[in-house]
Coordinates of all heavy atoms in Angstrom, one line a residue:
L1 N 138.0 130.4 51.3 CA 139.2 131.0 50.7 C 139.7 130.3 49.6 O 140.3 130.8 48.5 CB 140.3 131.4 51.6 CG 140.2 132.6 52.5 CD1 141.3 132.8 53.5 CD2 139.9 133.8 51.8
A2 N 139.8 129.0 49.6 CA 140.4 128.1 48.7 C 139.4 127.9 47.5 O 139.8 127.3 46.4 CB 140.8 126.8 49.3
G3 N 138.1 128.4 47.5 CA 137.3 128.4 46.6 C 136.1 127.3 46.6 O 135.4 127.1 45.6
I4 N 135.9 126.8 47.8 CA 134.9 125.7 47.9 C 133.6 126.6 48.4 O 133.6 127.4 49.3 CB 135.4 124.7 49.0 CG1 136.5 123.9 48.5 CG2 134.3 123.8 49.5 CD1 137.2 123.0 49.5
D5 N 132.4 126.0 47.9 CA 131.2 126.6 48.3 C 131.0 125.8 49.7 O 130.4 124.6 49.6 CB 130.1 126.2 47.3 CG 128.7 126.8 47.6 OD1 128.4 126.8 48.9 OD2 127.9 127.1 46.9
I6 N 130.9 126.4 50.8 CA 131.1 125.6 52.0 C 129.6 125.2 52.4 O 129.4 124.2 53.1 CB 131.8 126.4 53.2 CG1 131.1 127.6 53.4 CG2 133.1 126.6 52.9 CD1 131.5 128.4 54.7
D7 N 128.7 125.8 51.9 CA 127.3 125.4 52.1 C 126.9 124.2 51.3 O 126.4 123.2 51.7 CB 126.3 126.5 51.9 CG 126.3 127.6 52.8 OD1 126.4 127.3 54.1 OD2 126.5 128.8 52.5
E8 N 127.3 124.2 50.1 CA 127.1 123.0 49.1 C 127.9 121.9 49.7 O 127.4 120.7 49.7 CB 127.5 123.4 47.7 CG 127.4 122.3 46.7 CD 128.5 121.3 46.6 OE1 129.7 121.7 47.0 OE2 128.4 120.2 46.4
A9 N 129.1 122.1 50.2 CA 130.0 121.0 50.6 C 129.5 120.5 52.0 O 130.0 119.4 52.5 CB 131.4 121.5 50.6
G10 N 128.7 121.3 52.7 CA 128.4 120.9 54.2 C 129.6 121.2 55.1 O 129.8 120.6 56.1
Y11 N 130.3 122.3 54.7 CA 131.5 122.6 55.6 C 131.3 123.8 56.5 O 132.3 124.3 57.2 CB 132.7 123.0 54.6 CG 133.4 121.8 53.9 CD1 132.8 120.5 54.1 CD2 134.4 121.9 53.1 CE1 133.5 119.4 53.4 CE2 135.1 120.8 52.4 CZ 134.5 119.7 52.5 OH 135.2 118.6 51.9
R12 N 130.1 124.5 56.5 CA 130.0 125.6 57.3 C 130.1 125.3 58.8 O 129.4 124.3 59.2 CB 128.6 126.5 57.0 CG 128.4 127.6 57.8 CD 127.3 128.4 57.3 NE 127.4 129.0 56.0 CZ 128.1 130.2 55.6 NH1 128.7 130.7 56.4 NH2 128.2 130.4 54.3
I13 N 130.9 125.9 59.5 CA 131.1 125.7 60.9 C 129.9 126.4 61.8 O 129.7 127.6 61.6 CB 132.4 126.3 61.4 CG1 133.7 125.6 60.6 CG2 132.6 126.2 62.9 CD1 133.7 124.0 60.9
N14 N 129.4 125.6 62.6 CA 128.4 126.0 63.6 C 129.1 126.1 65.0 O 129.6 125.0 65.5 CB 127.3 125.2 63.6 CG 126.5 125.2 62.2 OD1 126.0 126.2 61.8 ND2 126.6 124.0 61.6
Y15 N 129.1 127.2 65.7 CA 129.8 127.3 67.0 C 128.9 126.6 68.0 O 127.7 126.9 68.3 CB 130.0 128.7 67.4 CG 130.8 129.5 66.5 CD1 130.5 130.8 66.0 CD2 132.0 129.0 65.8 CE1 131.3 131.6 65.3 CE2 132.8 129.8 65.1 CZ 132.4 131.0 64.7 OH 133.2 131.8 63.7
C16 N 129.5 125.7 68.7 CA 128.9 125.0 69.8 C 129.6 125.3 71.1 O 130.8 124.9 71.3 CB 128.7 123.5 69.7 SG 127.8 122.6 70.9
K17 N 129.1 126.1 72.1 CA 129.7 126.5 73.3 C 129.6 125.6 74.4 O 128.4 125.0 74.5 CB 129.1 128.0 73.7 CG 129.8 128.5 74.8 CD 129.1 129.9 75.1 CE 129.9 130.7 76.2 NZ 129.4 132.0 76.5
G18 N 130.5 125.2 75.0 CA 130.4 124.2 76.4 C 130.9 125.0 77.6 O 132.0 125.6 77.5
E19 N 130.1 125.1 78.5 CA 130.4 125.8 79.7 C 130.7 124.8 80.9 O 130.1 123.9 81.0 CB 129.2 126.7 80.0 CG 128.9 127.8 78.9 CD 128.0 128.9 79.5 OE1 127.6 128.9 80.8 OE2 127.7 129.8 78.8
F20 N 131.6 125.3 81.6 CA 132.1 124.6 82.9 C 131.9 125.4 84.2 O 132.2 126.5 84.1 CB 133.5 124.1 82.6 CG 133.8 123.2 81.5 CD1 134.1 123.8 80.2 CD2 133.9 121.9 81.7 CE1 134.4 123.1 79.2 CE2 134.3 121.0 80.6 CZ 134.4 121.7 79.2
F21 N 131.5 124.7 85.1 CA 131.5 125.2 86.5 C 132.5 124.5 87.4 O 132.7 123.3 87.3 CB 130.0 125.0 87.2 CG 129.0 126.2 86.8 CD1 128.8 126.4 85.4 CD2 128.5 126.8 87.8 CE1 128.0 127.4 85.1 CE2 127.5 127.9 87.5 CZ 127.3 128.1 86.2
S22 N 133.0 125.2 88.3 CA 134.0 124.7 89.3 C 133.2 124.0 90.4 O 132.1 124.4 90.8 CB 135.1 125.8 89.8 OG 134.2 126.7 90.5
L23 N 133.8 123.0 90.9 CA 133.3 122.4 92.2 C 134.2 122.7 93.3 O 135.3 122.9 93.2 CB 133.4 120.8 91.9 CG 132.8 119.9 93.1 CD1 131.3 120.1 93.1 CD2 133.2 118.4 92.9
A24 N 133.5 123.0 94.5 CA 134.2 123.4 95.6 C 135.3 122.5 96.0 O 135.2 121.3 95.8 CB 133.2 123.4 96.8
A25 N 136.4 123.1 96.5 CA 137.6 122.4 96.6 C 137.5 121.3 97.7 O 138.1 120.2 97.6 CB 138.7 123.3 97.0

């Protein structure tokens, strides 16, 4: 939005998902 080419700058965000499992109480 500020006018930066995010691919040229290396600013494109890649979503990395982290999943958690509960352990029995």
Side-chain angles (χ1 to χ4, degrees):
L1 278 183
I4 294 174
D5 183 332
I6 60 174
D7 290 311
E8 181 274 330
Y11 288 0
R12 184 170 294 279
I13 296 297
N14 300 295
Y15 301 136
C16 185
K17 185 175 185 177
E19 300 195 359
F20 297 86
F21 271 59
S22 64
L23 182 65

